Amino acid sequence: MDQAARKPRTRIQIEKRELILEAALEIFAQHGFRGATIDQIADAAGMSKPNLLYYFKSKDDIHRTLIQRLLDTWLAPLREIDDIGDPVTELRSYIRRKLEMARDYPRESRLFANEILQGAPRVLPMLEGELKSLVDEKVQVIRGWMRAGRIARTDPYHLIFAIWATTQHYADFDVQVRAVLGPARDGEGRFEDAARFLEQLFVEGLRVKG
Amino acid sequence: MDQAARKPRTRIQIEKRELILEAALEIFAQHGFRGATIDQIADAAGMSKPNLLYYFKSKDDIHRTLIQRLLDTWLAPLREIDDIGDPVTELRSYIRRKLEMARDYPRESRLFANEILQGAPRVLPMLEGELKSLVDEKVQVIRGWMRAGRIARTDPYHLIFAIWATTQHYADFDVQVRAVLGPARDGEGRFEDAARFLEQLFVEGLRVKG
DNA sequence: CTAACGTTTGTCCAATCGGTCAAAAATTGC
DNA sequence: GCAATTTTTGACCGATTGGACAAACGTTAG
């Protein structure tokens, strides 16, 4: 009777909501919010449209739930950056974690990319609040490393942007990457090659001179 | 009588088609193909929907025209890479040109990003054909530089991907970049900072070791 | 068995979608 | 001027959209 608005109770509700979110992630990631239809999601989840709307009260509700859930795991790698460890090791494993996420959660990456491309109508407050705070905090850590002469001096914000861009590229632009590399280099070795390249690029690019 | 199918003749047709394409670029870049409506585009172009459809026979027709036009200018910077010049200079100016395009043509970048994100349904043949050929060709140039010991040995494909990703990031994820940098750093200096950072990253990252 | 509750579905709706069409209005060629 | 042509528009159409609803179905506790 509560329409599953706040807290799902029965086991069926928990399972079905999960099923719907899984299907919706697939559809939203591929077609964007407006491009996706409730019927498509219901089909992919193996249920009728009214049945789906019994578990989520609107299309927007599903999307919002997905975005919210995504953000928790999305920022985890950045949170893990620690100013106690070795700077190069810290950055290297941050890059590796981000690349692993692009490999293991490409749909989440594309969902997020779609949202940002459309002007971030649903997550702008989070970007300006939580995300900015977290980045500002890690920028201070990186600045500390630079002041200590442990990595080359550069703009920490743009360093973070570059890591985001290069790693997420393999999820968001997967089709293009595949097309350019061609069938010969289409195996899973792609990610190992990418990891090796990015590691070299950032480690050498941040090496202290002289 | 020819419905402007092949070649526009009158001056009005040329002007109005241009007006429509300009409006459509704005709308498509923001909402994607399915998210955009003919009415929105017609509104933005200051004309009625049937009038718009007098100049383009369908929504798909407009989109296809935009994509086709985009690709010509999009690949121009890559074409300009020359194996005669100094490798570092060549790569540096390629990065700068790509970054300028992200700054000056963000809508084109987002239009392209939307297309790729949705699986490149309209440009996949071009990616696998024309784009792959061009990249393959430039990869050979870069390999030559590496063999000659003029830049560090690494994967040329992923080098190109990294340049694409980092530069286009400033157009496609503009909202996020702005949000993270905050109002204090929101001026046009952003692109100068980005240019400096990327130049350092790639030049140092590709420097030949000892 | 049965009453209460949770789940599922068929049917329906108003709004919006891409696109058509015929006729009006504006422009052009002579 | 006038007729031919190009341009613009209002009205309309079938299809699809997100969502509502009540009735039917399933499940479970007593």
Side-chain angles (χ1 to χ4, degrees):
Chain A
M1 193 153 273
D2 192 34
Q3 285 287 54
R6 280 297 154 202
K7 298 201 177 186
R9 307 214 191 135
T10 76
R11 188 170 305 153
I12 288 185
Q13 276 178 2
I14 295 175
E15 289 172 359
K16 292 284 171 117
R17 279 177 67 95
E18 214 56 42
L19 196 70
I20 292 168
L21 289 175
E22 162 66 24
L25 175 59
E26 187 77 27
I27 304 296
F28 278 135
Q30 197 171 0
H31 300 100
F33 181 76
R34 282 217 50 189
T37 71
I38 300 185
D39 288 283
Q40 279 179 304
I41 299 172
D43 255 21
M47 64 180 68
S48 65
K49 180 167 65 174
N51 195 11
L52 182 148
L53 286 168
Y54 170 73
Y55 292 104
F56 289 90
K57 61 175 183 287
S58 70
K59 179 181 171 182
D60 195 85
D61 188 19
I62 307 174
H63 192 263
R64 220 172 275 276
T65 305
L66 275 176
I67 291 275
Q68 200 165 352
R69 180 176 298 204
L70 153 74
L71 292 176
D72 289 336
T73 57
W74 211 238
L75 295 181
L78 184 55
R79 281 190 226 279
E80 287 182 33
I81 288 185
D82 195 348
D83 62 342
I84 297 185
D86 171 57
V88 174
T89 306
E90 286 291 322
L91 287 174
R92 203 193 329 238
S93 50
Y94 177 53
I95 291 167
R96 180 163 288 275
R97 275 194 295 266
K98 285 293 285 181
L99 198 58
E100 282 167 358
M101 293 198 62
R103 181 192 59 193
D104 299 335
Y105 306 100
R107 299 175 305 178
E108 280 83 349
S109 185
R110 273 176 229 137
L111 176 71
F112 187 70
N114 260 307
E115 175 68 11
I116 301 294
L117 260 180
Q118 255 119 66
R122 283 162 248 266
V123 294
L124 191 55
M126 190 281 305
L127 298 183
E128 292 170 334
E130 195 183 351
L131 177 64
K132 176 169 168 49
S133 300
L134 180 59
V135 171
D136 284 344
E137 177 194 328
K138 299 305 178 185
V139 159
Q140 288 311 315
V141 174
I142 296 172
R143 284 228 173 90
W145 291 338
M146 290 176 183
R147 271 194 299 268
R150 306 185 68 181
I151 59 173
R153 279 181 199 275
T154 187
D155 190 317
Y157 286 101
H158 291 279
L159 171 59
I160 290 174
F161 293 153
I163 294 175
W164 288 349
T166 49
T167 53
Q168 289 173 11
H169 186 81
Y170 290 98
D172 303 341
F173 285 73
D174 178 65
V175 181
Q176 183 179 246
V177 169
R178 271 189 223 270
V180 168
L181 289 183
R185 298 187 42 164
D186 194 16
E188 267 306 314
R190 270 166 47 221
F191 277 93
E192 268 313 306
D193 293 344
R196 247 192 309 275
F197 169 79
L198 291 179
E199 183 171 316
Q200 173 178 346
L201 176 68
F202 284 100
V203 169
E204 296 302 322
L206 294 175
R207 189 182 294 280
V208 286
K209 281 194 282 190
Chain B
M1 188 159 272
D2 193 33
Q3 284 286 53
R6 280 296 153 202
K7 298 201 176 186
R9 304 213 197 134
T10 76
R11 190 170 303 155
I12 289 184
Q13 277 178 3
I14 295 175
E15 289 172 359
K16 293 283 170 124
R17 279 178 67 96
E18 213 57 41
L19 196 69
I20 292 169
L21 289 175
E22 162 68 22
L25 175 60
E26 188 77 27
I27 305 295
F28 278 134
Q30 197 172 0
H31 301 100
F33 181 76
R34 283 216 50 186
T37 72
I38 300 186
D39 288 283
Q40 278 180 304
I41 299 172
D43 256 21
M47 63 180 68
S48 65
K49 177 167 64 174
N51 196 11
L52 182 147
L53 286 168
Y54 170 74
Y55 293 104
F56 290 89
K57 62 174 182 288
S58 70
K59 179 181 172 183
D60 196 85
D61 188 19
I62 307 175
H63 192 263
R64 222 172 274 276
T65 305
L66 276 177
I67 291 275
Q68 201 166 351
R69 180 177 297 206
L70 154 74
L71 293 177
D72 288 337
T73 56
W74 212 237
L75 295 180
L78 185 55
R79 283 190 225 278
E80 288 182 32
I81 288 186
D82 194 348
D83 62 343
I84 297 185
D86 172 57
V88 173
T89 307
E90 286 291 320
L91 287 174
R92 205 198 322 244
S93 49
Y94 177 54
I95 291 167
R96 183 158 34 79
R97 275 194 295 265
K98 284 293 286 179
L99 198 57
E100 282 167 359
M101 292 197 62
R103 182 193 58 194
D104 299 336
Y105 305 101
R107 299 174 307 177
E108 281 83 350
S109 184
R110 272 176 231 137
L111 176 70
F112 187 72
N114 259 308
E115 175 69 10
I116 301 295
L117 258 180
Q118 254 116 69
R122 282 162 249 266
V123 293
L124 191 55
M126 190 282 304
L127 297 183
E128 292 170 333
E130 194 182 352
L131 178 64
K132 175 169 168 48
S133 301
L134 181 59
V135 172
D136 284 344
E137 177 195 327
K138 298 306 179 183
V139 159
Q140 288 311 316
V141 173
I142 296 173
R143 283 229 174 90
W145 291 337
M146 290 176 183
R147 271 193 298 268
R150 307 184 69 180
I151 60 174
R153 279 180 198 276
T154 187
D155 190 316
Y157 286 100
H158 291 280
L159 170 59
I160 290 175
F161 293 153
I163 294 175
W164 288 350
T166 49
T167 52
Q168 290 173 11
H169 187 80
Y170 291 98
D172 302 341
F173 287 72
D174 177 65
V175 181
Q176 184 180 246
V177 169
R178 270 189 222 270
V180 168
L181 288 183
R185 298 187 42 160
D186 193 15
E188 267 304 315
R190 272 166 47 223
F191 277 93
E192 268 313 306
D193 293 345
R196 246 193 310 275
F197 168 79
L198 291 179
E199 181 171 317
Q200 172 178 348
L201 176 67
F202 284 99
V203 169
E204 295 301 322
L206 295 174
R207 188 181 294 280
V208 287
K209 281 194 283 190

